[in-house]
Amino acid sequence: MSDNTVLKITNLEKNYGKHQILKSVNLEIEKGAIYGLVGKNGAGKTTLMRVITGLQNPTNGAYELWGVPYTDKNINTQRKRVGAIIENVGLYKNLTAKDNMLLQYISTGNTATNEWRELLNFVGLDPDSKKKVGKYSLGMRQRLGIAISLVGNPDFLVLDEPINGLDPQGIIEIREILLKLNKEKMITILISSHILEELSKLVTHIAFIDDGRIIEQITKDELNSKYTKASNVTTTNVDALIKILDEMDLNYKIGENKVVTIFGEYDLTDLVVKAKNSDARITHISDTNESLEAYFMNLIKA
């Protein structure tokens, strides 16, 4: 294990009675990474996060935080370097964001000073607001949860489905906060989701988990090279467009309503000009995530 390894998991298993949830999980996360844990609901994501944050013990196997085994008496010192949101964000809905933050400082034995104010500002919440958290939107509650997880200045964040249920604007806000934490504060992040397309915009590494097993670990660049980007094109003259695509040596398929899906990278301006000159005016172009999701689905069926 290198000096930069934040988390190392070795042959980890977790059983609930006779039901095995985690099956010989092996995973290693290096300092500075944003590591995505991707899997369907029930795949074992939350259980794995509960184990590595000390909420539950493994049935078999082991894990280390910064080289300290979870069985070592010094593991609690390392756990103080970890911030986490597991399952629901635990908030007091009848209190303000400020009061929720101050209670977290008290419960963790940290001195608040004015750091709570800086953290609320960092996640885009007004530290002086008198609004009760129960009246917050889901996105605001998730941002407050992240601020609370930052109490104690952790080096490692473990976030369970923080974008689940958010609208597109809320997802963008959370993504920008996490990227800022990673780049400006050098915080390593493990984030789970069942939405591969959204995680792919954020992470540096991805681990796919299915039925309690890690079935593939891959870097973002490796993932990009494994699936083919695609775009859907609508035209006034499909036959003429097909001739152009053949001349440009592009891969494509004809779908429903004569929508043409073009695979791979190509010069969009060149295509539009050639189509216009061939009486095949392009009326609509949109990126499609079909191939990325197909890669995920094919993987978990393997």
Side-chain angles (χ1 to χ4, degrees), residues 33-208:
I34 303 179
Y35 214 109
L37 185 62
V38 179
K40 298 181 295 184
N41 291 332
K45 302 186 300 295
T46 298
T47 299
L48 180 59
M49 290 183 159
R50 289 181 65 84
V51 170
I52 65 176
T53 53
L55 295 175
Q56 294 178 332
N57 286 323
T59 304
N60 292 299
Y63 68 91
E64 301 175 9
L65 290 170
W66 293 279
V68 178
Y70 84 97
T71 53
D72 192 291
K73 63 180 180 180
N74 294 315
I75 191 63
N76 286 334
T77 300
Q78 302 305 318
R79 286 205 177 106
K80 290 179 180 178
R81 301 171 64 185
V82 181
I85 300 176
I86 308 296
E87 297 177 302
N88 296 324
V89 181
L91 301 174
Y92 294 94
K93 295 184 178 181
N94 61 327
L95 299 179
T96 64
K98 172 185 175 180
D99 290 336
N100 271 273
M101 291 292 290
L102 293 178
L103 282 173
Q104 180 68 7
Y105 278 96
I106 292 170
S107 65
T108 56
N110 287 285
T111 303
T113 60
N114 279 325
E115 184 186 80
W116 64 270
R117 180 179 292 276
E118 296 169 8
L119 291 176
L120 287 177
N121 280 323
F122 184 86
V123 299
L125 294 175
D126 181 3
D128 297 313
S129 174
K130 304 300 182 183
K131 188 175 184 177
K132 298 295 190 293
V133 170
K135 296 183 178 180
Y136 276 16
S137 67
L138 177 58
M140 292 173 70
R141 292 198 300 272
Q142 291 293 74
R143 282 186 276 146
L144 177 56
I146 291 174
I148 287 175
S149 73
L150 294 172
V151 170
N153 298 309
D155 298 306
F156 182 34
L157 277 185
V158 179
L159 305 175
D160 183 22
E161 300 268 12
I163 61 175
N164 190 30
L166 297 182
D167 59 24
Q169 181 60 36
I171 291 173
I172 292 170
E173 290 171 353
I174 296 298
R175 185 196 309 150
E176 290 177 347
I177 289 170
L178 296 182
L179 286 171
K180 195 173 180 181
L181 285 171
N182 179 253
K183 293 178 179 179
E184 294 184 8
K185 296 183 179 293
M186 299 301 292
I187 295 177
T188 304
I189 300 172
L190 173 63
I191 175 174
S192 74
S193 180
H194 60 278
I195 310 173
L196 174 57
E197 192 271 331
E198 287 300 334
L199 273 195
S200 69
K201 299 174 184 176
L202 172 67
V203 299
T204 59
H205 299 73
I206 294 178
F208 295 96

Side-chain angles (χ1 to χ4, degrees), residues 214-228:
I214 300 292
I215 55 176
E216 184 172 57
Q217 298 180 56
I218 193 170
T219 68
K220 171 68 179 300
D221 291 339
E222 288 171 339
L223 177 65
N224 287 340
S225 69
K226 283 198 171 189
Y227 77 89
T228 305

